[in-house]
């Protein structure tokens, strides 16, 4: 792809993405490790585009999606993706020609024998050259990862592959580090699904059908909490309307996203409500989860973002809301403020705060849950 860099730079960003896809042979779609309806909807759309250009591709994420069957039924997802360099064995066959080529693996699968039969004469071992080849896939498209580490083991187990292969980075988060050769990063849009919908509308309208429209609407509804977030724009509503016109099944999406809650999520939500505390004077709400809560619910601690999303949907949108949770040996704090006068990054400046779609979050080490609760709540 490097030979056409000057040509590609002259194109708009949609044209650049399409050109990279056209020039590729095999593509990896890598999703952020936290699987969402939004990332799956975008993956379905990008997979359609790759199929349009007849590009073999693999969709990978750190762990298989346990939920979202109404979306994953359209995808073949490979967890624990590994991409190793190819070993290249070269043989000069100009004089002898090639009659047969085959290989055998021993019963213990510890040894591979390669057999090459010439048409005439014989091959000399000196005719063989062994070298390190490239990778099987020659283009990576990341979906929803603000940096490469957000891909989890998909990146950690394949660092050489990611550093030596062109990356197209698609994301909506302002915190995105723009690590790709092409960076389609649009913080003014609600979701990956909205970004990819614009790409489809501009170049691939003929690919739109009911399943694809439903998948993209699911991503938009998830990220906007069914059009309830204060950052919702008229443009997002217009695109949702267009998806409905393409046949998107809104009733299915609402049922699957907002009514079909996992039992583990319901159990944790119950614990949050049981411990919910309120300070009316400060319009402040908070609650706590400990390791035992996760064990009793049979839940992975990665579910914490979903629990927080449920909290936000239940409490007043103009309030300040915190959730404290024991998390992998430390304490995770998630916070939201609907009060413009309360800038969380300023209030929590002593912590390593990162922004995410629901507010801000940070981890505290070497302190217990109640210590962190007292310390943070006093800041408000």
């Amino acid at each position: 792809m490097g030979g056409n860099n000057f040509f590609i730079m002259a194109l708009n960003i949609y044209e650049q993405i399409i050109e990279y896809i056209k020039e590729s042979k095999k593509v990896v779609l890598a999703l952020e490790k936290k699987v969402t309806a939004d990332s799956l909807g975008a993956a379905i759309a990008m997979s359609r585009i790759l199929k349009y250009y007849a590009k073999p591709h693999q969709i990978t994420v750190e762990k298989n999606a346990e939920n979202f069957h109404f979306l994953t039924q359209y995808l073949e997802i490979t967890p624990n993706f590994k991409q190793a360099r190819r070993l290249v064995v070269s043989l000069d066959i100009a004089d002898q020609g090639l009659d047969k080529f085959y290989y055998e693996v021993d019963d213990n699968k510890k040894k591979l024998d390669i057999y090459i039969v010439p048409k005439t004469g014989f091959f000399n071992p000196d005719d063989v050259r062994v070298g390190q080849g490239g990778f099987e896939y020659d283009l990576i498209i990341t979906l929803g990862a603000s940096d490469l580490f957000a891909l989890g083991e998909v990146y950690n187990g394949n660092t050489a592959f990611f550093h030596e292969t062109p990356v197209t980075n698609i994301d909506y988060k302002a915190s995105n580090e723009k690590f790709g050769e092409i960076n389609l990063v649009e913080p003014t849009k609600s979701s990956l699904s909205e970004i990819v919908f614009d790409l489809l509308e501009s170049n691939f309208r003929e690919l739109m059908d009911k399943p694809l429209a439903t998948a993209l609407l699911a991503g938009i509804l998830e990220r906007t909490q069914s059009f309830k977030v204060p950052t919702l724009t008229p443009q997002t509503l217009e695109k949702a309307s267009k998806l409905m016109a393409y046949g998107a099944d809104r009733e299915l999406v609402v049922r699957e996203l907002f009514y079909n809650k996992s039992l583990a999520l319901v159990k944790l939500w119950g614990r949050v409500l049981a411990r919910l505390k309120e300070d009316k004077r400060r319009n402040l709400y908070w609650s706590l989860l400990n390791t035992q809560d996760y064990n009793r619910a049979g839940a992975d601690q990665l579910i914490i973002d979903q629990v927080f999303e449920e909290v936000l949907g239940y409490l007043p949108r103009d309030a300040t809301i915190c959730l404290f949770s024991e998390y992998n040996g430390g304490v995770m704090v998630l916070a939201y403020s609907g009060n413009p006068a309360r800038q969380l990054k300023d209030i929590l400046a002593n912590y390593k705060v990162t922004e995410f779609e629901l507010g801000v979050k940070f981890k505290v080490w070497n302190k217990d849950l109640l210590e962190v609760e007292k310390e943070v709540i006093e800041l408000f």
Side-chain angles (χ1 to χ4, degrees):
M1 295 183 192
N4 290 331
N5 278 351
F6 290 112
F7 165 69
I8 288 174
M9 287 174 66
L11 305 175
N12 69 42
I13 194 157
Y14 292 161
E15 292 168 336
Q16 290 178 43
I17 291 171
I18 292 167
E19 197 62 31
Y20 264 57
I21 290 172
K22 285 180 177 178
E23 291 191 10
S24 68
K25 293 179 180 176
K26 298 183 78 174
V27 182
V28 172
L29 286 174
L31 280 59
E32 183 184 19
K33 64 182 178 181
K34 182 197 170 193
V35 180
T36 63
D38 186 30
S39 60
L40 292 173
I44 290 169
M46 293 306 300
S47 179
R48 286 283 189 92
I49 293 171
L50 293 170
K51 287 176 181 176
Y52 177 82
Y53 287 112
K55 299 297 179 181
H57 59 282
Q58 189 165 160
I59 302 167
T60 186
V61 69
E62 183 176 81
K63 289 184 181 178
N64 252 330
E66 295 181 3
N67 302 317
F68 309 115
H69 175 69
F70 76 109
L71 297 175
T72 56
Q73 63 179 314
Y74 300 110
L75 296 171
E76 186 174 333
I77 299 175
T78 304
N80 301 318
F81 171 79
K82 296 295 179 187
Q83 182 65 185
R85 288 186 185 280
R86 291 174 291 187
L87 183 70
V88 179
V89 180
S90 300
L91 175 65
D92 185 351
I93 60 172
D95 295 331
Q96 292 86 354
L98 179 64
D99 183 29
K100 296 177 184 176
F101 167 81
Y102 60 97
Y103 68 89
E104 292 179 354
V105 179
D106 72 355
D107 293 339
N108 295 322
K109 295 186 178 180
K110 291 185 176 180
K111 189 177 76 164
L112 169 71
D113 291 321
I114 300 172
Y115 299 91
I116 306 169
V117 181
K119 284 186 177 179
T120 61
F122 60 91
F123 291 122
N124 190 304
D126 292 338
D127 296 332
V128 178
R129 297 287 182 271
V130 179
Q132 196 78 51
F135 295 99
E136 181 182 1
Y137 292 83
D138 59 354
L139 176 63
I140 302 166
I141 300 174
T142 61
L143 296 173
S146 55
D147 56 37
L148 288 171
F149 294 105
L151 299 170
E153 284 306 307
V154 171
Y155 169 69
N156 294 333
N158 301 281
T159 52
F161 171 57
F162 273 87
H163 289 300
E164 297 179 30
T165 306
V167 175
T168 294
N169 163 31
I170 302 177
D171 194 17
Y172 66 94
K173 295 187 283 295
S175 59
N176 189 282
E177 294 187 357
K178 298 185 178 178
F179 51 84
E181 278 71 20
I182 298 175
N183 297 289
L184 179 55
V185 178
E186 300 187 278
T188 59
K189 293 183 180 173
S190 66
S191 55
L192 288 169
S193 296
E194 183 177 347
I195 292 170
V196 174
F197 172 73
D198 286 341
L199 172 61
L200 288 164
E201 272 279 278
S202 298
N203 299 276
F204 304 100
R205 285 190 182 183
E206 67 273 25
L207 299 183
M208 291 297 302
D209 59 15
K210 182 172 182 174
L212 180 52
T214 300
L216 293 174
L217 182 64
I220 291 174
L221 283 175
E222 179 190 58
R223 289 300 183 198
T224 63
Q225 297 174 39
S226 196
F227 306 131
K228 293 176 184 175
V229 294
T231 54
L232 183 67
T233 66
Q235 290 81 5
T236 300
L237 289 171
E238 180 185 355
K239 288 161 197 173
S241 177
K242 286 183 178 180
L243 288 168
M244 297 282 287
Y246 280 121
D249 190 340
R250 186 176 185 275
E251 289 185 8
L252 171 67
V253 172
V254 170
R255 184 171 68 248
E256 293 291 337
L257 289 185
F258 303 111
Y259 295 124
N260 289 353
K261 306 293 184 186
S262 71
L263 181 59
L265 179 58
V266 171
K267 286 181 177 179
L268 287 174
W269 174 224
R271 296 310 303 152
V272 168
L273 287 180
R275 298 196 185 105
L276 188 63
K277 302 177 185 180
E278 176 186 6
D279 184 323
K280 290 184 178 179
R281 182 180 61 82
R282 292 184 287 178
N283 197 17
L284 177 64
Y285 299 82
W286 70 98
S287 190
L288 303 93
L289 287 171
N290 58 41
T291 303
Q292 283 188 335
D293 295 325
Y294 289 100
N295 293 338
R296 288 170 181 160
D300 190 299
Q301 290 178 331
L302 288 172
I303 202 174
I304 184 63
D305 285 10
Q306 294 179 51
V307 176
F308 191 56
E309 188 172 348
E310 294 298 315
V311 173
L312 296 185
Y314 176 78
L315 295 172
R317 297 299 295 179
D318 62 347
T320 300
I321 301 162
C322 296
L323 180 60
F324 300 86
S325 173
E326 292 181 344
Y327 192 94
N328 291 340
V331 176
M332 172 75 81
V333 183
L334 299 91
Y336 161 87
S337 177
N339 181 353
R342 272 188 183 154
Q343 294 298 314
L344 293 179
K345 291 187 78 173
D346 295 334
I347 294 170
L348 303 169
N350 291 333
Y351 304 98
K352 291 184 178 179
V353 171
T354 59
E355 292 182 295
F356 73 122
E357 58 268 22
L358 301 175
V360 300
K361 62 169 70 172
F362 59 93
K363 291 179 187 175
V364 180
W365 305 100
N366 302 319
K367 293 183 180 180
D368 67 31
L369 188 61
L370 297 180
E371 281 183 281
V372 176
E373 175 197 13
K374 183 175 184 296
E375 183 179 284
V376 172
I377 292 302
E378 285 179 351
L379 296 174
F380 297 99

